[in-house]
Amino acid sequence: MTGVLAGVRVLEHGTFITGPAASMLLADLGADVVKVEQPEGDPFRAFRGGTYSPHFQTYNRNKKSVRLDTRQPDDLKRFEQLVTEADVYIQNFRPGVAAKIGAGEVRLRELNARLIYCAISGFGPDGPSAQRPSYDTVAQAASGFLKLLINPANPRVVGPALADALTGFYAAYGILGALYERARLDGEHQPARGRPHENSGTRGRRVEVSMLEAMAHFNLDAFTHLFSEGEVMGPYSRPSVSQSYVLRCADGKWIALHMSSPHKFWQGLAKAIEQPDLFDDVRFATREARIQHQETLIDVLGGHFGRHPRAEWCKRLEALDVPHAPMYDTDEVPDDPQAKHLQLFVDAPHPGEAGKRWTTVRSPVSFDGQRALAVKAPPLLGDHDAALHAGASLWAPRPNES
């Protein structure tokens, strides 16, 4: 399958998650990504004395790796040559750092006027918090999102690095918009015959996104309730209104329900638990009543779901078209029949261990029914140093090049 971004060249100067996640998303769509690392590598590589951690593997597939210290003249020249040939440059340094290492926007724009320059930060390029260090939990907390995840009875940070990953998504989203604009403007300046006009193809863009802005936008529902109704949402606000539950089954496994409003879902649930008169109880007769008495309803449902193992409940609920899913542990997901049908997990040769396969989750986006089943494992540190030092091009030919 030819990726929809085939021919787009991305130079990534990222560490940890936000920058690498953005370029990985573009690579998943077919972009050619070269990852520039310090001689010691992306800090996210470090793991048990090695340089190929699961954290690093998560966000660095489909890339090439070169080691460059742009404070050294020879490495700076190599870096600048890559810049002249790139379409996109991504960095997630603190504001001001890129300029100090020869990768500031002004300098790179002098080398490549068409360059789309993406700068990712914690709190934005300027302002009172611009120089503060920011990591995932910091951004979640500053945006108001973390408060919606914390169980008040046991207040501790939970879940994966949402702010890091989502900021990468927003960065890729902005880059795609800039790429589209540049292509559109190129088309407007392209005459019907002959050579392009002189001002064709000079449109670059600076794409900026901070973790604070990304998480505040992702937390849009909470802010809409605040500005619209004066309501400050808490960790149980949405689950209560959407009527969502997690229930423990007889075998100790868990199941999730998202009942929402349709009456047929509740009728199906009542039948599944063999309690057809459940809604004769005024506490559960209407959506509003169920929201008001949610804790009591959870206790009632919990008593019933404790009578059978999870597989039995899944069988009953599926037969009655009740919205549900087993609340899987990670190691259960690959065996799910639908996950297998969708070919959700793909593999490739492991770059560091002969005969071993490297496995990951494929891109969820399909085009014209074709799934992204081909993948390349994340590169070992400096995998493409030799080619770079030999003067070979690291970029694949563009589709319109012979």
Side-chain angles (χ1 to χ4, degrees):
M1 182 182 71
T2 300
V4 292
L5 291 185
V8 173
R9 295 171 174 176
V10 178
L11 191 61
E12 178 224 299
H13 221 159
T15 60
F16 294 105
I17 297 178
T18 56
S23 68
M24 184 196 74
L25 291 168
L26 301 175
D28 282 352
L29 296 179
D32 193 6
V33 177
V34 173
K35 181 180 180 71
V36 176
E37 305 188 57
Q38 289 293 316
E40 63 275 16
D42 184 335
F44 228 31
R45 282 184 175 273
F47 182 68
R48 297 178 181 175
T51 57
Y52 206 66
S53 73
H55 297 300
F56 174 83
Q57 293 176 47
T58 300
Y59 297 103
N60 287 284
R61 66 190 183 204
N62 294 325
K63 300 180 186 179
K64 302 163 187 171
S65 167
V66 294
R67 291 176 292 183
L68 291 173
D69 183 352
T70 54
R71 293 166 295 188
Q72 303 301 318
D74 288 345
D75 278 1
L76 181 59
K77 289 180 181 178
R78 295 184 180 104
F79 171 72
E80 290 181 342
Q81 181 59 42
L82 289 169
V83 170
T84 63
E85 300 166 341
D87 297 293
V88 178
Y89 172 77
I90 301 172
Q91 55 94 341
N92 62 318
F93 305 122
R94 280 201 216 185
V97 171
K100 292 179 181 179
I101 63 170
E105 183 195 1
V106 173
R107 174 58 182 153
L108 300 197
R109 187 78 62 211
E110 292 173 350
L111 298 169
N112 184 349
R114 286 173 53 81
L115 189 69
I116 292 164
Y117 187 103
C118 178
I120 303 170
S121 61
F123 290 98
D126 47 38
S129 297
Q131 291 300 322
R132 286 173 53 193
S134 180
Y135 287 90
D136 181 82
T137 305
V138 173
Q140 287 195 39
S143 67
F145 189 78
L146 187 60
K147 193 70 178 289
L148 301 180
L149 299 181
I150 298 299
N151 180 349
N154 183 23
R156 55 185 298 181
V157 176
V158 297
L162 279 172
D164 283 327
L166 285 166
T167 301
F169 268 87
Y170 280 109
Y173 160 79
I175 290 167
L176 289 172
L179 283 170
Y180 171 78
E181 179 192 51
R182 195 182 71 175
R184 177 176 58 79
L185 292 176
D186 282 353
E188 289 177 359
H189 292 141
Q190 179 72 43
R193 294 183 179 181
R195 296 176 60 82
H197 296 304
E198 290 183 1
N199 62 345
S200 173
T202 59
R203 183 68 171 180
R205 277 284 191 183
R206 179 178 67 253
V207 176
E208 291 177 312
V209 61
S210 71
M211 297 175 70
L212 175 59
E213 291 167 296
M215 284 310 296
H217 187 273
F218 188 70
N219 200 21
L220 186 58
D221 184 55
F223 289 113
T224 302
H225 279 77
L226 173 66
F227 299 136
S228 162
E229 299 294 331
E231 176 187 355
V232 177
M233 298 182 75
Y236 302 127
S237 298
R238 189 207 61 83
S240 174
V241 172
S242 66
Q243 300 177 89
S244 301
Y245 312 92
V246 290
L247 301 163
R248 185 181 176 93
C249 304
D251 54 0
K253 296 180 180 180
W254 292 75
I255 195 167
L257 306 177
H258 190 122
M259 300 303 296
S260 193
S261 302
H263 184 62
K264 67 173 184 176
F265 293 157
W266 286 98
Q267 291 295 332
L269 178 61
K271 186 174 181 180
I273 64 175
E274 300 173 342
Q275 295 293 313
D277 59 350
L278 177 66
F279 305 111
D280 292 343
D281 189 323
V282 294
R283 296 173 300 174
F284 313 137
T286 66
R287 177 177 182 269
E288 291 73 19
R290 291 191 293 271
I291 292 172
Q292 182 180 355
H293 298 283
Q294 185 186 40
E295 294 301 320
T296 303
L297 180 55
I298 288 173
D299 289 340
V300 170
L301 293 174
H304 291 292
F305 275 79
R307 293 188 288 110
H308 299 294
R310 186 176 69 185
E312 172 65 19
W313 286 116
C314 287
K315 180 180 177 181
R316 291 188 182 199
L317 295 172
E318 184 173 356
L320 294 164
D321 198 35
V322 178
H324 75 284
M327 195 167 78
Y328 284 140
D329 288 325
T330 306
D331 60 358
E332 295 179 281
V333 179
D335 292 324
D336 180 86
Q338 187 64 21
K340 288 183 176 181
H341 172 78
L342 293 173
Q343 300 170 287
L344 194 54
F345 297 92
V346 295
D347 60 24
H350 195 288
E353 299 183 42
K356 184 178 178 181
R357 304 294 291 181
W358 178 82
T359 304
T360 189
V361 181
R362 66 168 175 80
S363 170
V365 181
S366 299
F367 295 96
D368 298 326
Q370 289 189 320
R371 297 169 181 155
L373 302 180
V375 67
K376 293 181 181 178
L380 300 179
L381 178 59
D383 249 358
H384 297 80
D385 283 356
L388 182 68
H389 285 263
S393 175
L394 299 186
W395 305 110
R398 300 185 194 270
N400 59 349
E401 294 176 346
S402 57

